Amino acid sequence: MLIPVDDIRSTATGVLLRAGVSQPNTEILVRSLVEAELRGLPSHGLLRLPRVVERLRNKVADGTTTGRHTWTTGAHLSVDGERGIGPVVAHHALAAVSARARSTGIALASIANNNHIGMLALYAEDIARAGQVVIGFTTSEALVHPWGGRRAMVGTNPVMIGVPAEPHPFVMDMATSLVSMGKVHDHAHRGEPLPDGWALDADGNPTRDAEAAKAGAIAPFGGPKGYALGLAFELLVAALTGTATGRDVAGTLDSTEVCNKGDVFIVAEPVGPVEAISRYLRDIRATEPSDPARPVLVPGDRALRTREAALAEGLDVAPEVWQRITALA
């Protein structure tokens, strides 16, 4: 069902304010959720709003904190998220390391005790638009089977990179799983089957049933290479944040458990000229495509085009999701 974007923003804002989230924190979270929807990532959008409210009610999330910051060195910020709302804690941590990197050249934030931080692309775009390079990692529950395995043991463990460029920054945001578990949940909400190869059921058998996949495992992208990257990123985050790994991680897909995954952001001042990077990206986009009907794109291009169309036409929100949200309004 198509809903005007302004209606979505106002409804989501009202829901969060009534749930006790502060006005500034509400603005950050609503932007995160709506931007995910606009860019065609409903798994990180409104689908998560009712769960945020439930987590607030269950006292495993705090709608007022922005996290507690401790500079352990001149360029390393350790953040206790204090069970805050994920995008809020991440936003303030990134603002702090971005400012510090202006003088130190590079700064790192390691975040623990924080909730799900939403779509990583938005952070990458914000920092890159401000003229800095950023790399980010976050971990999740064990949702991915190791290469050759039949049981979920590794997180989806997304990574993002933002680089300043014109006319808009280079933004890469991807999970190390073939898809996010949020996409599986979105298919389940819409009653749609999964594509072949996405997931296994609880018994380790391939399935296209989204409900069965929720209790099973999703595949690593790129076979053994995606598995290796996902595991490496999980170990990196755990080492820098002291957070949980594998099947000990909880709190991003439920409403009752304390979230114990970790987040890491690295912000640096660029050395290479924006003009050269922008020219290179233009050359890539101008590459002759193998299919004339499908021009060559750079990561992030499709999301921006999707955003433009959604702003004009409204957002296609799953009816079940919208009903749950309006019931909270």
Side-chain angles (χ1 to χ4, degrees), residues 55-274:
R55 292 185 66 78
L56 290 164
R57 290 173 177 170
N58 291 330
K59 309 298 183 184
V60 290
D62 183 327
T64 60
T65 187
T66 58
R68 185 170 72 250
H69 292 188
T70 303
W71 286 97
T72 60
T73 71
H76 180 194
L77 177 66
S78 177
V79 179
D80 178 350
E82 299 182 315
R83 300 188 185 180
I85 291 174
V88 172
V89 173
H91 171 84
H92 284 272
L94 265 171
V97 292
S98 172
R100 183 60 58 94
R102 297 292 183 192
S103 59
T104 60
I106 189 167
L108 180 148
S110 56
I111 309 172
N113 197 21
N114 189 26
N115 280 284
H116 189 276
I117 64 174
M119 179 183 65
L120 296 183
L122 191 58
Y123 308 117
E125 182 176 292
D126 286 348
I127 297 297
R129 283 195 186 281
Q132 293 174 305
V133 173
V134 62
I135 304 172
F137 309 92
T138 188
T139 53
S140 79
E141 285 91 342
L143 300 170
V144 179
H145 62 79
W147 181 246
R150 300 181 66 184
R151 184 186 189 197
M153 294 294 294
V154 182
T156 56
N157 303 339
V159 57
M160 64 83 161
I161 295 176
V163 179
E166 296 294 342
H168 50 78
F170 170 85
V171 172
M172 184 206 74
D173 171 7
M174 68 177 201
T176 53
S177 54
L178 186 60
V179 294
S180 71
M181 183 56 83
K183 283 190 177 180
V184 173
H185 281 249
D186 184 56
H187 275 68
H189 277 292
R190 296 175 186 272
E192 297 175 354
L194 302 177
D196 288 329
W198 273 25
L200 307 177
D201 63 19
D203 296 322
N205 300 311
T207 184
R208 298 188 65 198
D209 185 328
E211 287 295 337
K214 287 162 63 175
I218 48 183
F221 87 90
K225 291 184 179 181
Y227 158 56
L229 283 174
L231 181 58
F233 294 160
E234 186 162 331
L235 296 176
L236 181 151
V237 171
L240 291 172
T241 62
T243 51
T245 57
R247 299 183 70 86
D248 291 332
V249 179
T252 73
L253 294 171
D254 63 74
S255 301
T256 58
E257 299 295 321
V258 173
C259 192
N260 60 356
K261 53 80 184 167
D263 317 304
V264 170
F265 295 112
I266 304 167
V267 178
E269 288 291 302
V271 175
V274 171

Side-chain angles (χ1 to χ4, degrees), residues 274-293:
V274 171
E275 293 79 9
I277 291 172
S278 301
R279 184 170 58 251
Y280 177 44
L281 294 177
R282 286 196 298 271
D283 289 346
I284 290 177
R285 292 184 177 102
T287 302
E288 182 180 359
S290 58
D291 179 353

